[in-house]
Amino acid sequence: MNRNLLLVLFSLLSTAVFAQTGTVQGTVKDGKTKESLIGCTVRVDGTQIGGTTDIEGHFNLANVPAGTHKIVISYVSYKTREIPNVRVESGNTTAIDTELDEEGTSLQEVVVRANKATNTEIAVITEIKQLKPIAVGISAQQIQKSQDRDAAAAIRRVPGVSIVDNRFVLIRGLAARYNSVLINDVITPSTEVDTRSFSFDLVPSNIIDRMIVYKSGSADLPGDFAGGIVKIYTKRRPDQNFMDAGLTLGYRGNTTFQTVQSQTRSGLNALGLWDASQQIPTSFPARSADFNALNPLQRAAYARLLPNTWALKDLNLSPDIRFALNLGRRFDIGDVRVSNLTSINYSMTNQFSNIDLKLYDNGTIANAITQQYNDANYARQTRLGILHNWSARFSPGFTLEWKTLFNQLSTTETVVRTGAQVAEGYDVRSFSERFENRSILTTQLAGEHNISPLTKINWVGSFGYTGRWEPDWKRARYLRPTGTTGTDGQPAPFLIATPNDPTPTEVGRFNSKLHEYVISAIANGEHTFGNPTDREPNKIRFGVYAEQKNRDYAAHFYGYQAVGSASAAKQRDIATAFAPENVTGSEGSFSMLDGTRDRDAYKGMNTYLAGYVSGDIYFGPRANLTLGFRGEYNDQGITSKLNGVDTRLVTNKIFSPLPSVNFTYKLSDRTNLRFAYSSSVNRPEFRELAPFNYYDFNLLADIQGNTTLTTAKIQNLDAKWEFYPSPNELVSVTGFYKHFTNPIESYLLFQGNGLAYTFTNAQSAQNYGVELEFRKGFQNSASAFLQNLSVVGNVSLIKSQVNVGDIVTAPDLSGTIQQYDIRNIADTKRALAGQSPYLINAGVYYAAPNSGWQWNVLYNVFGQRIFTVGNSQNPTVYEMPRNVIDLNLTKQFNKKLELRFGVQDLLNQYVRFAQDFNRDGKIGSDVTSQTAGADQMLRKFKRGSYYTVSAIYTFGRRTVIP
């Protein structure tokens, strides 16, 4: 294997150099009538490159050598026009808008605009090569080839990146909390209630221009990161008028055309909305103490105001559907070039899984089962997304843009759990009927100004909103003694478990809502010293970033209470048990109690102010040193009620000085060595600080915040060797090391019953590894097949260790802060949660432009990683590797119609979560035997292979300028 690897690397390194080229495109009109001229001859003077204008007056000259050229445009009975000094850059597009005058009239002004193409593979490689920090990326062109549906699916193709729960990004093995995400250079808020993370599945792939993942820091990037900084750029403006529409149908094995049980939700559920009947009536007493002070009859009267929507219905699942409409317009208002890009996306998808779940005694032998369940889990997701961008180019030195992105994603999840509490001797039947809506809105007004040829300024004013709702999450659990029978000899009936005090683990209704508002103001400047046309001019960059964030979160839980024995009412099925006639508060029926606590609601406030300056120092044509300093001031606070009084529970004010150094040495025009150092931080998220307790039904666990968390500090070192055989080829090797002080990690509380997680500051941690990436083409091959073939791959090898310490500061279930001595009950040293020891991505792409055929085969796998941290009572849970293969096939007809066929997760391997019973820091092959050296399979299920058929029709030209 080593010899084969050396042969592959030798082949990559010996690739010949290809010429660097760009594109010249534009329109030609009649100078008097302003009508498009058809059939004009357009050529690059001194070359054989040329073409003619089409019916819209448009021309496109590809493969123009980089450099300065003269463009000649001629037409019968019109004066020939020569346009000198047209600069063509490798991988970029230069646009020319001009007019021809009839013989005998004066010439009009020619407008030449250099539009930087950023959404192609060549453009992304070029951008990465020119960046001062170490970075990797993926282009819209590559995303289109892979047919990835959203940003989460697409970004896993990037070196060192993996995905958790199909939406959260891990970079270099570090959990989502260690990454920062920006959309169009504006920091996004966390989209989750109980984690610090951005949900990448909210962003549909067809609105993405490119994604750049910064692995090292620099002064102009946010300082709150350790894994990486992800910048998502949406498409900005079209260069031509166009409209296209796409329709996708999806079939998932073990889901589509199957009959499943689902809940009933009224309102516009297909659009991710709900109506007032699913919310708590405003007449309910606001405080739980006031509600619980009422007598059972009065409380039952309130309970009857909640609709009886517990009944499940059989649902035959149709194929998934996705629809996309894209519209681009460009026009002139006087001398102002105005363009608009609008994209509308809608999808409705289904996922059914039979999940095996086991809990164990965790005593002296492995696999001693105490609880065993099967979860019939059905989830329907709907997504509505809108991108609406306007751009106005007032002059070559002033552009104004308004960019708006809205996405709404809803999940309707129904879980029917059957099984047994083996140790206690009970059969179990549980129900969870949950609806979740997530919305994210960002709208930005941005300007770009060329003050002079040496000075550029850009600014952004942004408003962001994140909303998350869980209206009327219904949960119930039925029990019966195992093996018992009735007087008729049949199995005894199940009875609803109704504790004396309401608890989220038993029957009840949960409601939550989150609103987060973010206002940002950003300004950046750049000044070039000397001649700006120099190949490597010295530059200084500076800027400020101000952000005000406010979050309002509230949760409410009501539990049903049995009045008397209520055995007849408890025996009723889930559809009729809580019908109005059974919720009266009288003997033998149900009433209701309010289980909400003061700390189940909180307000978060965060003020973030940053300023930076950085400069380039060139030591001749080969060496460049970029020095930067960023100062960040952050004021974070949490307010919640204690004994009915608003109380400030957290006040974290901290100034963080963050220096950075990036050094590049050019071994040749195609080979660079890069070294980087940066200091960064990792601040706790609102939810991690808030004392609120959240119950996860699927994991059977409580999650609670810790008000004592402090900001973690990280020192980052990176080194990278990169080789660019041609504009679209790359070979790179990167090594990195990170040292953490006070890293924020999850912690499993040591208690008698159930699982309860919180967050804590460990003493220190380190994370290091190596990444290999390559992109290889065969353009010089004698084989036509190989000329259309390209190979992409990346491998990451990562290792980490966190030193938790002997003493952990964390809250107990009541919220009281305690000091826990964890020696002998939990690992004081372990790998970082979420860190995979290896990541592998590979892809083979084929594209034949003459025939319109494209196909690719993609592969992805990650090494076993910690899913949840454990202790001696409940060992650490690992997510196990899965080999994933995707296939995609595309055929284009007459540049108008495109048909696509895709298969995702062809192998359909089990999703597996296992417990490290023997506490050796890994999961071995033995997960079944009852020995002290075995491990335990906790959760296992299959998602099903996914087959899609898509049709995209273009009604006009489509050239999107990012």
Side-chain angles (χ1 to χ4, degrees), residues 544-623:
V544 294
Y545 197 119
E547 177 190 274
Q548 179 63 46
K549 181 190 302 183
N550 292 282
R551 171 182 285 195
D552 190 351
Y553 178 81
H556 234 111
F557 174 73
Y558 294 93
Y560 284 93
Q561 174 194 42
V563 181
S565 65
S567 59
K570 290 181 180 181
Q571 293 179 29
R572 292 185 176 271
D573 61 30
I574 196 66
T576 60
F578 305 106
E581 60 271 20
N582 296 322
V583 186
T584 64
S586 57
E587 182 72 20
S589 70
F590 294 114
S591 186
M592 179 172 278
L593 288 170
D594 188 344
T596 309
R597 296 161 297 184
D598 283 350
R599 56 193 176 97
D600 289 341
Y602 67 89
K603 296 181 183 295
M605 300 76 65
N606 196 92
T607 300
Y608 169 74
L609 301 173
Y612 74 89
V613 61
S614 69
D616 300 331
I617 303 174
Y618 284 89
F619 303 94
R622 292 187 178 276

Side-chain angles (χ1 to χ4, degrees), residues 709-951:
L709 292 178
T710 60
T711 297
K713 298 178 181 179
I714 308 105
Q715 307 301 316
N716 308 277
L717 291 172
D718 295 83
K720 182 179 184 181
W721 173 85
E722 55 191 18
F723 174 57
Y724 299 91
S726 75
N728 63 342
E729 292 186 313
L730 163 68
V731 182
S732 70
V733 180
T734 305
F736 63 90
Y737 174 83
K738 299 176 182 292
H739 183 271
F740 299 75
T741 303
N742 298 325
I744 300 172
E745 286 281 294
S746 63
Y747 173 69
L748 178 61
L749 295 174
F750 195 82
Q751 59 176 25
N753 297 312
L755 301 174
Y757 290 93
T758 187
F759 310 93
T760 187
N761 286 108
Q763 286 187 1
S764 63
Q766 57 182 345
N767 175 253
Y768 53 92
V770 62
E771 299 168 337
L772 168 68
E773 179 184 14
F774 65 89
R775 298 169 184 252
K776 179 73 174 73
F778 306 91
Q779 293 91 335
N780 278 4
S781 172
S783 168
F785 174 80
L786 289 178
Q787 288 177 6
N788 296 324
L789 198 70
S790 62
V791 180
V792 176
N794 57 77
V795 178
S796 300
L797 302 176
I798 306 168
K799 187 174 179 60
S800 69
Q801 185 180 73
V802 56
N803 179 15
V804 181
D806 296 338
I807 306 298
V808 168
T809 301
D812 60 18
L813 288 181
S814 68
T816 303
I817 300 299
Q818 304 279 358
Q819 298 285 328
Y820 295 93
D821 186 341
I822 67 171
R823 288 172 293 186
N824 301 320
I825 64 172
D827 294 330
T828 58
K829 292 183 179 180
R830 55 170 172 77
L832 285 164
Q835 180 256 308
S836 296
Y838 63 86
L839 299 167
I840 302 175
N841 289 292
V844 178
Y845 295 85
Y846 177 84
N850 294 330
S851 66
W853 283 102
Q854 293 185 42
W855 58 261
N856 58 70
V857 181
L858 308 174
Y859 172 76
N860 170 264
V861 68
F862 61 84
Q864 56 181 250
R865 59 196 180 194
I866 294 179
F867 180 70
T868 56
V869 175
N871 55 32
S872 59
Q873 285 182 325
N874 293 282
T876 294
V877 177
Y878 285 79
E879 183 177 3
M880 303 302 291
R882 292 181 72 242
N883 295 284
V884 179
I885 294 178
D886 299 337
L887 306 176
N888 299 288
L889 180 66
T890 302
K891 170 64 176 175
Q892 191 173 53
F893 301 88
N894 300 322
K895 297 184 179 180
K896 292 288 186 180
L897 176 64
E898 186 173 283
L899 298 180
R900 301 176 182 174
F901 172 74
V903 183
Q904 294 186 333
D905 198 3
L906 178 66
L907 302 179
N908 188 28
Q909 293 186 340
Y910 276 105
V911 178
R912 297 172 299 152
F913 298 88
Q915 280 186 317
D916 180 21
F917 175 80
N918 59 26
R919 298 181 67 178
D920 63 353
K922 62 182 180 180
I923 302 299
S925 58
D926 182 3
V927 291
T928 57
S929 70
Q930 290 189 327
T931 63
D935 293 313
Q936 304 172 155
M937 189 60 63
L938 183 74
R939 201 162 176 250
K940 185 173 74 170
F941 63 93
K942 287 187 175 183
R943 291 195 174 102
S945 299
Y946 194 53
Y947 303 83
T948 58
V949 177
S950 305

Side-chain angles (χ1 to χ4, degrees), residues 420-634:
Q421 293 179 345
V422 179
E424 289 83 3
Y426 284 99
D427 296 331
V428 178
R429 181 180 297 162
S430 299
F431 300 88
S432 171
E433 304 175 26
R434 177 173 175 263
F435 174 84
E436 177 193 61
N437 172 280
R438 291 178 286 147
S439 298
I440 181 170
L441 167 70
T442 63
T443 184
Q444 305 167 4
L445 183 64
E448 297 178 1
H449 307 264
N450 292 340
I451 306 302
S452 71
L454 301 177
T455 305
K456 300 178 181 179
I457 299 290
N458 66 75
W459 54 268
V460 179
S462 173
F463 170 78
Y465 169 75
T466 300
R468 185 178 184 269
W469 296 264
E470 289 178 296
D472 200 16
W473 180 0
K474 298 182 286 291
R475 296 178 289 221
R477 187 168 70 125
Y478 286 77
L479 299 174
R480 75 176 176 196
T482 301
T484 58
T485 58
T487 55
D488 57 358
Q490 297 298 314
F494 281 93
L495 300 179
I496 298 175
T498 55
N500 294 327
D501 296 315
T503 170
T505 60
E506 304 295 355
V507 61
R509 308 174 86 139
F510 176 87
N511 289 264
S512 74
K513 60 181 179 179
L514 176 148
H515 302 285
E516 185 165 295
Y517 303 90
V518 182
I519 298 176
S520 306
I522 307 151
N524 301 286
E526 178 181 278
H527 181 75
T528 301
F529 295 93
N531 188 348
T533 63
D534 289 345
R535 183 175 181 182
E536 302 290 0
N538 291 317
K539 295 180 180 180
I540 186 171
R541 289 170 291 273
F542 49 90
V544 294
Y545 197 119
E547 177 190 274
Q548 179 63 46
K549 181 190 302 183
N550 292 282
R551 171 182 285 195
D552 190 351
Y553 178 81
H556 234 111
F557 174 73
Y558 294 93
Y560 284 93
Q561 174 194 42
V563 181
S565 65
S567 59
K570 290 181 180 181
Q571 293 179 29
R572 292 185 176 271
D573 61 30
I574 196 66
T576 60
F578 305 106
E581 60 271 20
N582 296 322
V583 186
T584 64
S586 57
E587 182 72 20
S589 70
F590 294 114
S591 186
M592 179 172 278
L593 288 170
D594 188 344
T596 309
R597 296 161 297 184
D598 283 350
R599 56 193 176 97
D600 289 341
Y602 67 89
K603 296 181 183 295
M605 300 76 65
N606 196 92
T607 300
Y608 169 74
L609 301 173
Y612 74 89
V613 61
S614 69
D616 300 331
I617 303 174
Y618 284 89
F619 303 94
R622 292 187 178 276
N624 165 248
L625 179 66
T626 301
L627 299 174
F629 178 82
R630 185 181 184 92
E632 295 189 344
Y633 171 78
N634 199 75

Side-chain angles (χ1 to χ4, degrees), residues 109 111 130 199 631 732 868:
E109 180 185 3
V111 179
Q130 295 173 348
S199 186
S732 70
T868 56

